[in-house]
Amino acid sequence: MTSYSCCLILLLFTWNTTAYGPNQRAQKKGDIILGGLFPIHFGVAAKDQDLKSRPESVECIRYNFRGFRWLQAMIFAIEEINSSPTLLPNMTLGYRIFDTCNTVSKALEATLSFVAQNKIDSLNLDEFCNCSEHIPSTIAVVGATGSGISTAVANLLGLFYIPQVSYASSSRLLSNKNQFKSFLRTIPNDEHQATAMADIIEYFRWNWVGTIAADDDYGRPGIEKFREEAEERDICIDFSELISQYSDEEEIQQVVEVIQNSTARVIVVFSSGPDLEPLIKEIVRRNITGKIWLASEAWASSSLIAMPEFFHVIGSTIGFALKAGQIPGFREFLQKVHPKKSTNNGFAKEFWEETFNCYLPDGSKNSPASASFHKGHEEGLGAGNGTIAFRSPCTGDENITSVETPYLDYTHLRISYNVYLAVYSIAHALQDIYTCTPGKGLFTNGSCADIKKVEAWQVLKHLRHLNFTNNMGEQVDFDEFGDLVGNYSIINWHLSPEDGSVIFEEVGHYNVYAKKGERLFINENKILWGGFSKEV
C-alpha cells in the first residue's frame, strides 16, 4: 500500500469522526473501546435541503434528560469496572458515545464511525503510517433505544459481526438471528408483552377495543401479535390506526376522528412517547374523555404523555413497566455531573445549559445575542421548541440538587439498569476471554482469543455463551435469540397528592415463567379509574 493510499484512508476516517464534532460525543481512551448510542435529543429539525450548497448536518432538537441519564449509566458502569480489582484487572475500558437524536440517520452516522475504525484496524496500517493518535477498534456497541433505530444499526453492525447490546429495543423482529446476527438485548422482547395485554383485557372481560401503533418496527409487530392474541380470546377490534411523530396535522386529525366516533372505550397502544405525543395533544385539545388506555412499556411512564395537564383525558391508563434494578452509588454519581469536571463527556455542557436555562460563555450556541430557549421537561417539552429568548450566563456554581429534573429521577431504575447490565454483560464476556484456559476455549481446537488483540466477532461468540450473576443475584444468560427473558410490573397512573404530578402506582405483575392462566396478577383495590374512581 502506498503512503498516499494510507493518508487518503486516514483522511476519510478523520472527516467522518470530526464531522460529528468534539462536543457531540462522550469519549475516553482505553485498552478496549465500547461504543454507545443514546437519544440525547428527541428528534431533528425539519430542513429542506435544496442542494444549492453542500448539505449541512441537521440540528438535533428537544433535549431528553432521561437519555442523558442512560448515557451516564454506561459511563458509571465502565468506571466501576475499571476500578474493580477482579473484573478485567490491569485493563482499562474506554468509550465512544454518540447521540442518535432518536433518528435512524443520526444513529447510522455514528455507527459508520464505529465500523470505519474497525475496518482501518483490519488493514493493519501501522507499518505504513505513524499513527500516534490511534484509537482502538470498537469491539461492542451499547444501544440503541427505539427498535426501528436498532434495526438499522443492527443491519450495519451485523455485516462486521460487531456485537450490539440494546437496553430498550424490544421488537420481536430483532430476535431473528438470520437477519440480525450480532444483536442482543437486556430487555424482554414484545412477544410476552402483547400476550399480557390480551390477558389484561380478558381479565376485565372487555371485548370491544381499538388499537393504535407506531408506524415502525416497534409498533407494527407488537400490535400484530396483540391482534393474534385478541382473536384467540374472542376480543373484537373496532379500529386499528398507525401513528408517527412525523405525521402531518391532517393524518392526526383523521385518527382522532376515528377515536372520537368509536364506541370502543378501551384503546390499546403500542408506541413510544414521541410518536404518541402529537395524537394525545389533539385528543386533549378536543377534550375526548371516558377512554381507558392500555400502554406498552415504551410510553407507559413517558413524561411526554404522563403530564398533569393531560391527566383528565388519559388518567385511566394501565401500562407495563420493566422490572426495576438497583445501582449502588449511581445517585451520587449523577449528582457529580458538571461541565468543567466531566471533561470526557461532551454532552455535559448542553445538559447544564438546559437544566439551569443559562449559557456557558465559551462559544456556546446559546450566546446572549441569539439564544434559543431550550428549557423544558424530560421528554420533549425540551430543546428546540422554537421560542426565542435570552439566557443569562451560567455561574458554574448552580446546584444540581436544587432543581427538579427527570435526570435525577432514580426511584425506579429500569432502562438505566438495562444499560448498566448491558455494559456488565460485555465486560463479563471479555473476562471470559481474559481467563480462558487454552484447550478449553470456544474457538477452533479449544483455542482462546488474545485479550490484547481481541476482535469484535470473538466478543460476540463469548456473549452468546455468557452466564454470570448480576449485582442483584440473578443469572444473566442470553437465549438462542439473543434475548433475556424478564417479567413486567403493571402500573396505573395516579395524581400525587403532594405536588399534583403523575405517579405510577404498581398494581400487579406479569410472570412469563408461570403456567398459562397463572401469569397475571392484578390488585384491583389499588387501581384508580380516571384518577379517582374505584369502579371500572
Side-chain angles (χ1 to χ4, degrees), residues 196-197 199-204 206 294 318-320 489-492 506-510 518-527 529 536:
M197 284 179 156
D199 284 349
I200 287 178
I201 290 173
E202 186 177 40
Y203 174 88
F204 286 109
W206 298 327
L294 189 54
I318 292 179
F320 290 85
S489 297
I490 297 170
I491 59 175
N492 178 222
E506 188 168 325
V507 297
H509 59 259
Y510 190 83
E518 299 178 3
R519 296 171 183 166
L520 178 66
F521 169 77
I522 292 180
N523 185 345
E524 291 189 55
N525 293 325
K526 286 188 172 183
I527 297 178
W529 302 101
V536 182

PDB file of all heavy atoms in Angstrom, residues 196-197 199-204 206 294 318-320 489-492 506-510 518-527 529 536:
ATOM      1  N   ALA A 196     -49.563 -10.384  27.300  1.00  0.00           N
ATOM      2  CA  ALA A 196     -50.007  -9.857  28.593  1.00  0.00           C
ATOM      3  C   ALA A 196     -51.113  -8.817  28.415  1.00  0.00           C
ATOM      4  O   ALA A 196     -52.048  -8.745  29.219  1.00  0.00           O
ATOM      5  CB  ALA A 196     -48.820  -9.257  29.331  1.00  0.00           C
ATOM      6  N   MET A 197     -51.024  -8.005  27.366  1.00  0.00           N
ATOM      7  CA  MET A 197     -52.076  -7.023  27.093  1.00  0.00           C
ATOM      8  C   MET A 197     -53.414  -7.715  26.851  1.00  0.00           C
ATOM      9  O   MET A 197     -54.453  -7.298  27.385  1.00  0.00           O
ATOM     10  CB  MET A 197     -51.698  -6.179  25.870  1.00  0.00           C
ATOM     11  CG  MET A 197     -50.651  -5.114  26.134  1.00  0.00           C
ATOM     12  SD  MET A 197     -50.279  -4.206  24.612  1.00  0.00           S
ATOM     13  CE  MET A 197     -49.669  -2.670  25.293  1.00  0.00           C
ATOM     14  N   ASP A 199     -54.219 -10.657  27.917  1.00  0.00           N
ATOM     15  CA  ASP A 199     -54.624 -11.267  29.191  1.00  0.00           C
ATOM     16  C   ASP A 199     -55.327 -10.252  30.092  1.00  0.00           C
ATOM     17  O   ASP A 199     -56.292 -10.590  30.786  1.00  0.00           O
ATOM     18  CB  ASP A 199     -53.401 -11.846  29.912  1.00  0.00           C
ATOM     19  CG  ASP A 199     -52.917 -13.153  29.307  1.00  0.00           C
ATOM     20  OD1 ASP A 199     -53.649 -13.726  28.472  1.00  0.00           O
ATOM     21  OD2 ASP A 199     -51.805 -13.604  29.652  1.00  0.00           O
ATOM     22  N   ILE A 200     -54.839  -9.010  30.117  1.00  0.00           N
ATOM     23  CA  ILE A 200     -55.474  -7.970  30.934  1.00  0.00           C
ATOM     24  C   ILE A 200     -56.877  -7.675  30.442  1.00  0.00           C
ATOM     25  O   ILE A 200     -57.832  -7.546  31.232  1.00  0.00           O
ATOM     26  CB  ILE A 200     -54.610  -6.684  30.937  1.00  0.00           C
ATOM     27  CG1 ILE A 200     -53.366  -6.890  31.802  1.00  0.00           C
ATOM     28  CG2 ILE A 200     -55.412  -5.483  31.439  1.00  0.00           C
ATOM     29  CD1 ILE A 200     -52.433  -5.705  31.841  1.00  0.00           C
ATOM     30  N   ILE A 201     -57.036  -7.561  29.135  1.00  0.00           N
ATOM     31  CA  ILE A 201     -58.353  -7.279  28.569  1.00  0.00           C
ATOM     32  C   ILE A 201     -59.318  -8.429  28.864  1.00  0.00           C
ATOM     33  O   ILE A 201     -60.490  -8.218  29.217  1.00  0.00           O
ATOM     34  CB  ILE A 201     -58.227  -7.024  27.058  1.00  0.00           C
ATOM     35  CG1 ILE A 201     -57.525  -5.677  26.833  1.00  0.00           C
ATOM     36  CG2 ILE A 201     -59.594  -7.035  26.378  1.00  0.00           C
ATOM     37  CD1 ILE A 201     -57.196  -5.381  25.417  1.00  0.00           C
ATOM     38  N   GLU A 202     -58.816  -9.648  28.766  1.00  0.00           N
ATOM     39  CA  GLU A 202     -59.640 -10.813  29.092  1.00  0.00           C
ATOM     40  C   GLU A 202     -59.989 -10.820  30.588  1.00  0.00           C
ATOM     41  O   GLU A 202     -61.116 -11.145  30.966  1.00  0.00           O
ATOM     42  CB  GLU A 202     -58.894 -12.091  28.722  1.00  0.00           C
ATOM     43  CG  GLU A 202     -59.708 -13.364  28.886  1.00  0.00           C
ATOM     44  CD  GLU A 202     -58.941 -14.591  28.432  1.00  0.00           C
ATOM     45  OE1 GLU A 202     -57.718 -14.669  28.703  1.00  0.00           O
ATOM     46  OE2 GLU A 202     -59.557 -15.483  27.811  1.00  0.00           O
ATOM     47  N   TYR A 203     -59.051 -10.426  31.428  1.00  0.00           N
ATOM     48  CA  TYR A 203     -59.268 -10.394  32.878  1.00  0.00           C
ATOM     49  C   TYR A 203     -60.430  -9.472  33.241  1.00  0.00           C
ATOM     50  O   TYR A 203     -61.282  -9.801  34.083  1.00  0.00           O
ATOM     51  CB  TYR A 203     -57.991  -9.941  33.578  1.00  0.00           C
ATOM     52  CG  TYR A 203     -58.117  -9.724  35.065  1.00  0.00           C
ATOM     53  CD1 TYR A 203     -57.918 -10.777  35.958  1.00  0.00           C
ATOM     54  CD2 TYR A 203     -58.440  -8.464  35.582  1.00  0.00           C
ATOM     55  CE1 TYR A 203     -58.037 -10.575  37.332  1.00  0.00           C
ATOM     56  CE2 TYR A 203     -58.562  -8.258  36.948  1.00  0.00           C
ATOM     57  CZ  TYR A 203     -58.356  -9.317  37.816  1.00  0.00           C
ATOM     58  OH  TYR A 203     -58.492  -9.110  39.168  1.00  0.00           O
ATOM     59  N   PHE A 204     -60.485  -8.306  32.615  1.00  0.00           N
ATOM     60  CA  PHE A 204     -61.548  -7.342  32.909  1.00  0.00           C
ATOM     61  C   PHE A 204     -62.814  -7.587  32.074  1.00  0.00           C
ATOM     62  O   PHE A 204     -63.766  -6.829  32.168  1.00  0.00           O
ATOM     63  CB  PHE A 204     -61.048  -5.910  32.682  1.00  0.00           C
ATOM     64  CG  PHE A 204     -60.116  -5.412  33.747  1.00  0.00           C
ATOM     65  CD1 PHE A 204     -58.769  -5.229  33.483  1.00  0.00           C
ATOM     66  CD2 PHE A 204     -60.589  -5.150  35.022  1.00  0.00           C
ATOM     67  CE1 PHE A 204     -57.906  -4.771  34.478  1.00  0.00           C
ATOM     68  CE2 PHE A 204     -59.736  -4.689  36.019  1.00  0.00           C
ATOM     69  CZ  PHE A 204     -58.387  -4.502  35.740  1.00  0.00           C
ATOM     70  N   TRP A 206     -63.357  -7.221  28.952  1.00  0.00           N
ATOM     71  CA  TRP A 206     -63.598  -6.269  27.878  1.00  0.00           C
ATOM     72  C   TRP A 206     -63.536  -7.037  26.555  1.00  0.00           C
ATOM     73  O   TRP A 206     -62.696  -7.924  26.372  1.00  0.00           O
ATOM     74  CB  TRP A 206     -62.537  -5.172  27.877  1.00  0.00           C
ATOM     75  CG  TRP A 206     -62.526  -4.348  29.136  1.00  0.00           C
ATOM     76  CD1 TRP A 206     -63.590  -4.019  29.916  1.00  0.00           C
ATOM     77  CD2 TRP A 206     -61.380  -3.743  29.749  1.00  0.00           C
ATOM     78  NE1 TRP A 206     -63.192  -3.249  30.972  1.00  0.00           N
ATOM     79  CE2 TRP A 206     -61.840  -3.056  30.914  1.00  0.00           C
ATOM     80  CE3 TRP A 206     -60.020  -3.701  29.451  1.00  0.00           C
ATOM     81  CZ2 TRP A 206     -60.996  -2.348  31.754  1.00  0.00           C
ATOM     82  CZ3 TRP A 206     -59.169  -2.988  30.282  1.00  0.00           C
ATOM     83  CH2 TRP A 206     -59.646  -2.330  31.424  1.00  0.00           C
ATOM     84  N   LEU A 294     -54.509   1.318  27.449  1.00  0.00           N
ATOM     85  CA  LEU A 294     -53.610   0.220  27.816  1.00  0.00           C
ATOM     86  C   LEU A 294     -52.277   0.478  27.124  1.00  0.00           C
ATOM     87  O   LEU A 294     -52.190   0.459  25.890  1.00  0.00           O
ATOM     88  CB  LEU A 294     -54.198  -1.123  27.391  1.00  0.00           C
ATOM     89  CG  LEU A 294     -53.488  -2.385  27.892  1.00  0.00           C
ATOM     90  CD1 LEU A 294     -53.333  -2.385  29.403  1.00  0.00           C
ATOM     91  CD2 LEU A 294     -54.246  -3.635  27.449  1.00  0.00           C
ATOM     92  N   ILE A 318     -53.535   2.039  32.214  1.00  0.00           N
ATOM     93  CA  ILE A 318     -52.850   0.891  32.798  1.00  0.00           C
ATOM     94  C   ILE A 318     -51.735   0.529  31.833  1.00  0.00           C
ATOM     95  O   ILE A 318     -51.953   0.450  30.619  1.00  0.00           O
ATOM     96  CB  ILE A 318     -53.800  -0.303  32.989  1.00  0.00           C
ATOM     97  CG1 ILE A 318     -54.846   0.016  34.064  1.00  0.00           C
ATOM     98  CG2 ILE A 318     -53.040  -1.552  33.395  1.00  0.00           C
ATOM     99  CD1 ILE A 318     -55.833  -1.095  34.307  1.00  0.00           C
ATOM    100  N   GLY A 319     -50.547   0.339  32.352  1.00  0.00           N
ATOM    101  CA  GLY A 319     -49.427   0.083  31.450  1.00  0.00           C
ATOM    102  C   GLY A 319     -48.432  -0.900  32.015  1.00  0.00           C
ATOM    103  O   GLY A 319     -48.560  -1.379  33.149  1.00  0.00           O
ATOM    104  N   PHE A 320     -47.448  -1.184  31.192  1.00  0.00           N
ATOM    105  CA  PHE A 320     -46.403  -2.136  31.562  1.00  0.00           C
ATOM    106  C   PHE A 320     -45.110  -1.384  31.844  1.00  0.00           C
ATOM    107  O   PHE A 320     -44.777  -0.405  31.183  1.00  0.00           O
ATOM    108  CB  PHE A 320     -46.178  -3.145  30.434  1.00  0.00           C
ATOM    109  CG  PHE A 320     -47.328  -4.087  30.266  1.00  0.00           C
ATOM    110  CD1 PHE A 320     -48.425  -3.740  29.490  1.00  0.00           C
ATOM    111  CD2 PHE A 320     -47.328  -5.318  30.887  1.00  0.00           C
ATOM    112  CE1 PHE A 320     -49.496  -4.597  29.345  1.00  0.00           C
ATOM    113  CE2 PHE A 320     -48.398  -6.189  30.752  1.00  0.00           C
ATOM    114  CZ  PHE A 320     -49.484  -5.827  29.980  1.00  0.00           C
ATOM    115  N   SER A 489     -43.842  -5.296  35.525  1.00  0.00           N
ATOM    116  CA  SER A 489     -44.733  -4.715  36.525  1.00  0.00           C
ATOM    117  C   SER A 489     -45.897  -4.081  35.780  1.00  0.00           C
ATOM    118  O   SER A 489     -45.742  -3.590  34.655  1.00  0.00           O
ATOM    119  CB  SER A 489     -44.005  -3.648  37.347  1.00  0.00           C
ATOM    120  OG  SER A 489     -42.944  -4.213  38.075  1.00  0.00           O
ATOM    121  N   ILE A 490     -47.078  -4.089  36.413  1.00  0.00           N
ATOM    122  CA  ILE A 490     -48.249  -3.436  35.834  1.00  0.00           C
ATOM    123  C   ILE A 490     -48.522  -2.188  36.658  1.00  0.00           C
ATOM    124  O   ILE A 490     -48.606  -2.243  37.887  1.00  0.00           O
ATOM    125  CB  ILE A 490     -49.464  -4.376  35.828  1.00  0.00           C
ATOM    126  CG1 ILE A 490     -49.154  -5.591  34.944  1.00  0.00           C
ATOM    127  CG2 ILE A 490     -50.707  -3.644  35.312  1.00  0.00           C
ATOM    128  CD1 ILE A 490     -50.172  -6.694  35.038  1.00  0.00           C
ATOM    129  N   ILE A 491     -48.600  -1.042  35.984  1.00  0.00           N
ATOM    130  CA  ILE A 491     -48.746   0.234  36.683  1.00  0.00           C
ATOM    131  C   ILE A 491     -50.044   0.925  36.295  1.00  0.00           C
ATOM    132  O   ILE A 491     -50.604   0.687  35.222  1.00  0.00           O
ATOM    133  CB  ILE A 491     -47.550   1.167  36.402  1.00  0.00           C
ATOM    134  CG1 ILE A 491     -47.413   1.436  34.886  1.00  0.00           C
ATOM    135  CG2 ILE A 491     -46.259   0.583  36.954  1.00  0.00           C
ATOM    136  CD1 ILE A 491     -46.323   2.439  34.537  1.00  0.00           C
ATOM    137  N   ASN A 492     -50.514   1.778  37.190  1.00  0.00           N
ATOM    138  CA  ASN A 492     -51.720   2.584  36.982  1.00  0.00           C
ATOM    139  C   ASN A 492     -51.366   4.035  37.306  1.00  0.00           C
ATOM    140  O   ASN A 492     -50.654   4.303  38.271  1.00  0.00           O
ATOM    141  CB  ASN A 492     -52.828   2.064  37.897  1.00  0.00           C
ATOM    142  CG  ASN A 492     -54.123   2.867  37.805  1.00  0.00           C
ATOM    143  OD1 ASN A 492     -54.749   3.137  38.811  1.00  0.00           O
ATOM    144  ND2 ASN A 492     -54.534   3.232  36.602  1.00  0.00           N
ATOM    145  N   GLU A 506     -47.746   0.752  41.245  1.00  0.00           N
ATOM    146  CA  GLU A 506     -47.682  -0.644  40.830  1.00  0.00           C
ATOM    147  C   GLU A 506     -48.931  -1.369  41.336  1.00  0.00           C
ATOM    148  O   GLU A 506     -49.194  -1.410  42.536  1.00  0.00           O
ATOM    149  CB  GLU A 506     -46.426  -1.309  41.380  1.00  0.00           C
ATOM    150  CG  GLU A 506     -46.191  -2.702  40.820  1.00  0.00           C
ATOM    151  CD  GLU A 506     -44.807  -3.254  41.129  1.00  0.00           C
ATOM    152  OE1 GLU A 506     -43.840  -2.457  41.149  1.00  0.00           O
ATOM    153  OE2 GLU A 506     -44.705  -4.467  41.352  1.00  0.00           O
ATOM    154  N   VAL A 507     -49.686  -1.947  40.415  1.00  0.00           N
ATOM    155  CA  VAL A 507     -50.963  -2.585  40.770  1.00  0.00           C
ATOM    156  C   VAL A 507     -50.979  -4.084  40.439  1.00  0.00           C
ATOM    157  O   VAL A 507     -51.997  -4.739  40.593  1.00  0.00           O
ATOM    158  CB  VAL A 507     -52.150  -1.883  40.065  1.00  0.00           C
ATOM    159  CG1 VAL A 507     -52.259  -0.441  40.523  1.00  0.00           C
ATOM    160  CG2 VAL A 507     -52.003  -1.965  38.540  1.00  0.00           C
ATOM    161  N   GLY A 508     -49.857  -4.596  39.966  1.00  0.00           N
ATOM    162  CA  GLY A 508     -49.804  -6.021  39.645  1.00  0.00           C
ATOM    163  C   GLY A 508     -48.508  -6.379  38.964  1.00  0.00           C
ATOM    164  O   GLY A 508     -47.583  -5.563  38.865  1.00  0.00           O
ATOM    165  N   HIS A 509     -48.436  -7.602  38.493  1.00  0.00           N
ATOM    166  CA  HIS A 509     -47.254  -8.033  37.766  1.00  0.00           C
ATOM    167  C   HIS A 509     -47.619  -9.146  36.789  1.00  0.00           C
ATOM    168  O   HIS A 509     -48.696  -9.751  36.875  1.00  0.00           O
ATOM    169  CB  HIS A 509     -46.153  -8.506  38.728  1.00  0.00           C
ATOM    170  CG  HIS A 509     -46.576  -9.646  39.615  1.00  0.00           C
ATOM    171  ND1 HIS A 509     -46.947  -9.451  40.924  1.00  0.00           N
ATOM    172  CD2 HIS A 509     -46.697 -10.982  39.393  1.00  0.00           C
ATOM    173  CE1 HIS A 509     -47.277 -10.618  41.466  1.00  0.00           C
ATOM    174  NE2 HIS A 509     -47.132 -11.556  40.552  1.00  0.00           N
ATOM    175  N   TYR A 510     -46.719  -9.397  35.858  1.00  0.00           N
ATOM    176  CA  TYR A 510     -46.906 -10.445  34.864  1.00  0.00           C
ATOM    177  C   TYR A 510     -45.652 -11.311  34.857  1.00  0.00           C
ATOM    178  O   TYR A 510     -44.562 -10.842  34.560  1.00  0.00           O
ATOM    179  CB  TYR A 510     -47.153  -9.844  33.480  1.00  0.00           C
ATOM    180  CG  TYR A 510     -47.584 -10.866  32.448  1.00  0.00           C
ATOM    181  CD1 TYR A 510     -48.914 -11.248  32.348  1.00  0.00           C
ATOM    182  CD2 TYR A 510     -46.665 -11.455  31.576  1.00  0.00           C
ATOM    183  CE1 TYR A 510     -49.334 -12.183  31.404  1.00  0.00           C
ATOM    184  CE2 TYR A 510     -47.073 -12.389  30.638  1.00  0.00           C
ATOM    185  CZ  TYR A 510     -48.403 -12.746  30.554  1.00  0.00           C
ATOM    186  OH  TYR A 510     -48.813 -13.672  29.632  1.00  0.00           O
ATOM    187  N   GLU A 518     -51.859 -18.429  34.896  1.00  0.00           N
ATOM    188  CA  GLU A 518     -51.382 -18.037  36.223  1.00  0.00           C
ATOM    189  C   GLU A 518     -50.332 -16.925  36.148  1.00  0.00           C
ATOM    190  O   GLU A 518     -49.713 -16.579  37.156  1.00  0.00           O
ATOM    191  CB  GLU A 518     -50.779 -19.255  36.939  1.00  0.00           C
ATOM    192  CG  GLU A 518     -51.754 -20.393  37.162  1.00  0.00           C
ATOM    193  CD  GLU A 518     -51.102 -21.599  37.831  1.00  0.00           C
ATOM    194  OE1 GLU A 518     -49.892 -21.501  38.171  1.00  0.00           O
ATOM    195  OE2 GLU A 518     -51.783 -22.620  38.009  1.00  0.00           O
ATOM    196  N   ARG A 519     -50.137 -16.368  34.971  1.00  0.00           N
ATOM    197  CA  ARG A 519     -49.080 -15.372  34.790  1.00  0.00           C
ATOM    198  C   ARG A 519     -49.462 -13.986  35.290  1.00  0.00           C
ATOM    199  O   ARG A 519     -48.613 -13.228  35.732  1.00  0.00           O
ATOM    200  CB  ARG A 519     -48.698 -15.295  33.305  1.00  0.00           C
ATOM    201  CG  ARG A 519     -48.094 -16.582  32.775  1.00  0.00           C
ATOM    202  CD  ARG A 519     -47.943 -16.539  31.262  1.00  0.00           C
ATOM    203  NE  ARG A 519     -47.422 -17.797  30.754  1.00  0.00           N
ATOM    204  CZ  ARG A 519     -47.428 -18.153  29.474  1.00  0.00           C
ATOM    205  NH1 ARG A 519     -47.931 -17.323  28.567  1.00  0.00           N
ATOM    206  NH2 ARG A 519     -46.949 -19.317  29.096  1.00  0.00           N
ATOM    207  N   LEU A 520     -50.745 -13.664  35.218  1.00  0.00           N
ATOM    208  CA  LEU A 520     -51.202 -12.311  35.510  1.00  0.00           C
ATOM    209  C   LEU A 520     -51.724 -12.192  36.941  1.00  0.00           C
ATOM    210  O   LEU A 520     -52.541 -12.999  37.384  1.00  0.00           O
ATOM    211  CB  LEU A 520     -52.301 -11.908  34.529  1.00  0.00           C
ATOM    212  CG  LEU A 520     -52.934 -10.529  34.724  1.00  0.00           C
ATOM    213  CD1 LEU A 520     -51.917  -9.421  34.455  1.00  0.00           C
ATOM    214  CD2 LEU A 520     -54.159 -10.367  33.807  1.00  0.00           C
ATOM    215  N   PHE A 521     -51.249 -11.170  37.651  1.00  0.00           N
ATOM    216  CA  PHE A 521     -51.804 -10.831  38.957  1.00  0.00           C
ATOM    217  C   PHE A 521     -52.121  -9.344  38.975  1.00  0.00           C
ATOM    218  O   PHE A 521     -51.261  -8.517  38.648  1.00  0.00           O
ATOM    219  CB  PHE A 521     -50.832 -11.150  40.094  1.00  0.00           C
ATOM    220  CG  PHE A 521     -51.273 -10.567  41.416  1.00  0.00           C
ATOM    221  CD1 PHE A 521     -52.278 -11.168  42.144  1.00  0.00           C
ATOM    222  CD2 PHE A 521     -50.698  -9.393  41.903  1.00  0.00           C
ATOM    223  CE1 PHE A 521     -52.705 -10.618  43.349  1.00  0.00           C
ATOM    224  CE2 PHE A 521     -51.117  -8.838  43.103  1.00  0.00           C
ATOM    225  CZ  PHE A 521     -52.120  -9.458  43.829  1.00  0.00           C
ATOM    226  N   ILE A 522     -53.364  -8.995  39.350  1.00  0.00           N
ATOM    227  CA  ILE A 522     -53.767  -7.592  39.453  1.00  0.00           C
ATOM    228  C   ILE A 522     -54.465  -7.369  40.789  1.00  0.00           C
ATOM    229  O   ILE A 522     -55.370  -8.115  41.161  1.00  0.00           O
ATOM    230  CB  ILE A 522     -54.714  -7.191  38.296  1.00  0.00           C
ATOM    231  CG1 ILE A 522     -53.960  -7.207  36.964  1.00  0.00           C
ATOM    232  CG2 ILE A 522     -55.306  -5.809  38.539  1.00  0.00           C
ATOM    233  CD1 ILE A 522     -54.805  -6.818  35.771  1.00  0.00           C
ATOM    234  N   ASN A 523     -54.027  -6.350  41.500  1.00  0.00           N
ATOM    235  CA  ASN A 523     -54.669  -5.932  42.744  1.00  0.00           C
ATOM    236  C   ASN A 523     -55.643  -4.806  42.405  1.00  0.00           C
ATOM    237  O   ASN A 523     -55.257  -3.637  42.324  1.00  0.00           O
ATOM    238  CB  ASN A 523     -53.617  -5.466  43.753  1.00  0.00           C
ATOM    239  CG  ASN A 523     -54.217  -5.139  45.108  1.00  0.00           C
ATOM    240  OD1 ASN A 523     -55.435  -4.987  45.244  1.00  0.00           O
ATOM    241  ND2 ASN A 523     -53.373  -5.027  46.119  1.00  0.00           N
ATOM    242  N   GLU A 524     -56.913  -5.158  42.213  1.00  0.00           N
ATOM    243  CA  GLU A 524     -57.907  -4.174  41.770  1.00  0.00           C
ATOM    244  C   GLU A 524     -58.129  -3.076  42.796  1.00  0.00           C
ATOM    245  O   GLU A 524     -58.559  -1.969  42.452  1.00  0.00           O
ATOM    246  CB  GLU A 524     -59.226  -4.883  41.453  1.00  0.00           C
ATOM    247  CG  GLU A 524     -59.165  -5.762  40.217  1.00  0.00           C
ATOM    248  CD  GLU A 524     -60.529  -6.273  39.807  1.00  0.00           C
ATOM    249  OE1 GLU A 524     -61.440  -5.437  39.604  1.00  0.00           O
ATOM    250  OE2 GLU A 524     -60.695  -7.506  39.687  1.00  0.00           O
ATOM    251  N   ASN A 525     -57.856  -3.359  44.059  1.00  0.00           N
ATOM    252  CA  ASN A 525     -58.067  -2.356  45.102  1.00  0.00           C
ATOM    253  C   ASN A 525     -57.133  -1.160  44.950  1.00  0.00           C
ATOM    254  O   ASN A 525     -57.397  -0.084  45.473  1.00  0.00           O
ATOM    255  CB  ASN A 525     -57.867  -2.982  46.488  1.00  0.00           C
ATOM    256  CG  ASN A 525     -58.936  -4.013  46.810  1.00  0.00           C
ATOM    257  OD1 ASN A 525     -60.088  -3.844  46.417  1.00  0.00           O
ATOM    258  ND2 ASN A 525     -58.554  -5.069  47.512  1.00  0.00           N
ATOM    259  N   LYS A 526     -56.031  -1.357  44.235  1.00  0.00           N
ATOM    260  CA  LYS A 526     -55.074  -0.266  44.049  1.00  0.00           C
ATOM    261  C   LYS A 526     -55.367   0.585  42.819  1.00  0.00           C
ATOM    262  O   LYS A 526     -54.796   1.663  42.656  1.00  0.00           O
ATOM    263  CB  LYS A 526     -53.652  -0.836  43.928  1.00  0.00           C
ATOM    264  CG  LYS A 526     -53.054  -1.330  45.234  1.00  0.00           C
ATOM    265  CD  LYS A 526     -51.579  -1.678  45.009  1.00  0.00           C
ATOM    266  CE  LYS A 526     -50.871  -1.993  46.311  1.00  0.00           C
ATOM    267  NZ  LYS A 526     -49.429  -2.265  46.085  1.00  0.00           N
ATOM    268  N   ILE A 527     -56.230   0.098  41.943  1.00  0.00           N
ATOM    269  CA  ILE A 527     -56.477   0.800  40.674  1.00  0.00           C
ATOM    270  C   ILE A 527     -57.450   1.948  40.867  1.00  0.00           C
ATOM    271  O   ILE A 527     -58.490   1.817  41.517  1.00  0.00           O
ATOM    272  CB  ILE A 527     -57.028  -0.170  39.610  1.00  0.00           C
ATOM    273  CG1 ILE A 527     -56.007  -1.259  39.296  1.00  0.00           C
ATOM    274  CG2 ILE A 527     -57.387   0.592  38.335  1.00  0.00           C
ATOM    275  CD1 ILE A 527     -56.485  -2.280  38.286  1.00  0.00           C
ATOM    276  N   TRP A 529     -59.585   4.470  38.447  1.00  0.00           N
ATOM    277  CA  TRP A 529     -60.006   4.730  37.068  1.00  0.00           C
ATOM    278  C   TRP A 529     -60.270   6.224  36.912  1.00  0.00           C
ATOM    279  O   TRP A 529     -61.034   6.810  37.671  1.00  0.00           O
ATOM    280  CB  TRP A 529     -61.250   3.923  36.731  1.00  0.00           C
ATOM    281  CG  TRP A 529     -61.032   2.452  36.911  1.00  0.00           C
ATOM    282  CD1 TRP A 529     -61.433   1.687  37.953  1.00  0.00           C
ATOM    283  CD2 TRP A 529     -60.333   1.579  36.027  1.00  0.00           C
ATOM    284  NE1 TRP A 529     -61.041   0.384  37.789  1.00  0.00           N
ATOM    285  CE2 TRP A 529     -60.353   0.283  36.600  1.00  0.00           C
ATOM    286  CE3 TRP A 529     -59.679   1.752  34.800  1.00  0.00           C
ATOM    287  CZ2 TRP A 529     -59.759  -0.813  36.003  1.00  0.00           C
ATOM    288  CZ3 TRP A 529     -59.098   0.659  34.202  1.00  0.00           C
ATOM    289  CH2 TRP A 529     -59.135  -0.603  34.796  1.00  0.00           C
ATOM    290  N   VAL A 536     -64.722   0.342  37.482  1.00  0.00           N
ATOM    291  CA  VAL A 536     -64.285   0.316  36.093  1.00  0.00           C
ATOM    292  C   VAL A 536     -65.288   1.088  35.250  1.00  0.00           C
ATOM    293  O   VAL A 536     -66.484   0.815  35.305  1.00  0.00           O
ATOM    294  CB  VAL A 536     -64.174  -1.125  35.582  1.00  0.00           C
ATOM    295  CG1 VAL A 536     -63.673  -1.136  34.147  1.00  0.00           C
ATOM    296  CG2 VAL A 536     -63.277  -1.952  36.475  1.00  0.00           C
TER     297      VAL A 536
END
